[in-house]
Amino acid sequence: MDVQRLELLRELAARGSVTAVALATHRTPSAVSQQLKVLEREAGLPLTQRHGRGLELTDAGRALARSATDVAVSLAKATALWDEFRNNATGEVSLVTFPTAGQMLLPGVIKNLGPGLVLNCADEDPELSDFPAFTAEYDIVLAHAMSGQLSWAGRGLSVVPLMTEPLDVGLPVGHPLADRAWLRPSDLIGETWIGVTDGYPFERILHAIEQEAGAHLSMAQRFADLALIESFVIAGLGIALVPRYTSGGGQPGRLVLKPLRGIESERQIVALMRPDRAERLAVRTVIEALRAQASQVQRSHSAK
């Protein structure tokens, strides 16, 4: 079977439509369909079937798509081995990050990359379930989720843990709770909250606070952007959950952070990749740089 045709089948499994595969591979939909038909003849079994106005994979098609991933991984390993012999971690690596991880990690990573290795970055802040979709477009996807909420198992992705970041309660200077060493969920009932948009990872901790305290939190506003949330807290318009390592950016000393006890309040930051891309020497080099920078961030905050 032709490797390029196998890759088209794999892309169909990942992207869900011939049109999406055509856009991603710079082909016309008819060209993609023709190549899939040739692969089907080579396989001797139906690989796709009509579903509404589109195509979906048959059981045989899904099995062959998984095999196509194995082929891609093997080819990537062979290329990476050759690059290691040549000591050649060069080329371009694409990465998409959510904003606070980019702020925390990327400047240090890019400063320390060797010559010939270019990291092209973009930023997005999707809901938790949307992070894996970006692996179709980017070599590395920086994602975050609450502890125990990682839902990417079984998606066929490589998942590299980078760091655990505590989430603290952010208070304006002079708030009555600002003198406490730490806070419990019961301390937070009756406060005005600046929350996150429905579906965003921090929402799970807000629900846990309500469950532990046995009362609802009063949400004045909900935003997706953490910098905007912090600006409302600094202005005295409410309190919020904020990540410890990246809070107060641009306005140091105007936000008071207090650890939260009684519930688990932290997020896991990971790198998601397609398994074949994870084998590339250039990608592995960037991942090691990300891990080193994450360790440095954690050490710097532990020393304070």
Side-chain angles (χ1 to χ4, degrees):
M1 293 181 186
D2 184 85
V3 172
Q4 292 184 343
R5 294 188 192 111
L6 284 173
E7 185 63 20
L8 289 178
L9 187 70
R10 180 188 177 208
E11 291 294 339
L12 181 60
R15 298 176 188 274
S17 74
V18 169
T19 300
V21 174
L23 286 172
T25 60
H26 308 292
R27 293 175 170 87
T28 64
S30 61
V32 172
S33 296
Q34 290 171 5
Q35 291 299 303
L36 290 174
K37 288 178 182 177
V38 172
L39 180 63
E40 196 168 68
R41 287 198 296 270
E42 291 175 343
L45 288 171
L47 302 177
T48 62
Q49 60 191 9
R50 283 287 169 191
H51 181 72
R53 300 179 63 181
L55 288 179
E56 67 176 12
L57 296 182
T58 62
D59 289 343
R62 284 189 288 272
L64 191 57
R66 289 192 294 270
S67 296
T69 299
D70 295 337
V71 171
V73 170
S74 295
L75 290 173
K77 284 182 177 179
T79 301
L81 181 62
W82 189 243
D83 286 341
E84 287 176 358
F85 273 114
R86 296 188 301 163
N87 194 25
N88 191 31
T90 60
E92 296 188 0
V93 175
S94 60
L95 179 150
V96 65
T97 180
F98 59 96
T100 51
Q103 171 189 340
M104 182 167 45
L105 300 175
L106 293 187
V109 167
I110 291 175
K111 284 179 66 175
N112 291 306
L113 288 180
L117 181 53
V118 178
L119 184 60
N120 295 318
C121 304
D123 65 308
E124 297 282 352
D125 201 3
E127 295 183 5
L128 174 66
S129 60
D130 294 336
F131 282 111
F134 285 106
T135 60
E137 308 298 335
Y138 296 91
D139 297 316
I140 300 171
V141 178
L142 297 187
H144 64 139
M146 302 305 98
S147 293
Q149 201 181 9
L150 294 177
S151 59
W152 304 309
R155 301 289 291 268
L157 299 175
S158 294
V159 182
V160 177
L162 297 176
M163 67 192 305
T164 299
E165 181 177 22
L167 299 174
D168 294 331
V169 179
L171 307 167
V173 174
H175 190 281
L177 296 175
D179 292 334
R180 304 274 189 94
W182 43 267
L183 300 173
R184 290 191 178 276
S186 57
D187 299 324
L188 306 174
I189 302 303
E191 296 290 336
T192 299
W193 279 81
I194 311 299
V196 292
T197 303
D198 289 342
Y200 275 64
F202 290 14
E203 187 179 30
R204 179 173 181 261
I205 297 178
L206 296 174
H207 291 327
I209 292 172
E210 291 179 323
Q211 185 173 3
E212 181 68 20
H216 290 294
L217 300 179
S218 175
M219 293 290 164
Q221 305 286 346
R222 289 182 179 272
F223 300 113
D225 185 83
L226 284 172
L228 183 55
I229 289 173
E230 289 183 17
S231 71
F232 269 65
V233 175
I234 290 169
L237 297 173
I239 68 174
L241 286 176
V242 295
R244 182 177 298 175
Y245 302 152
T246 49
S247 61
Q251 302 191 71
R254 300 184 63 191
L255 188 68
V256 178
L257 301 185
K258 295 298 172 181
L260 181 58
R261 293 189 180 179
I263 62 171
E264 194 168 50
S265 181
E266 60 186 22
R267 66 175 175 177
Q268 307 297 321
I269 298 177
V270 303
L272 304 178
M273 295 162 286
R274 283 188 171 187
D276 54 319
R277 295 181 184 180
E279 294 294 340
R280 288 179 52 204
L281 182 58
V283 171
R284 296 200 328 248
T285 301
V286 173
I287 289 294
E288 287 307 308
L290 284 166
R291 294 178 69 178
Q293 184 64 26
S295 296
Q296 181 177 326
V297 168
Q298 290 179 300
R299 286 196 303 270
S300 67
H301 280 268
S302 297
K304 292 181 180 179

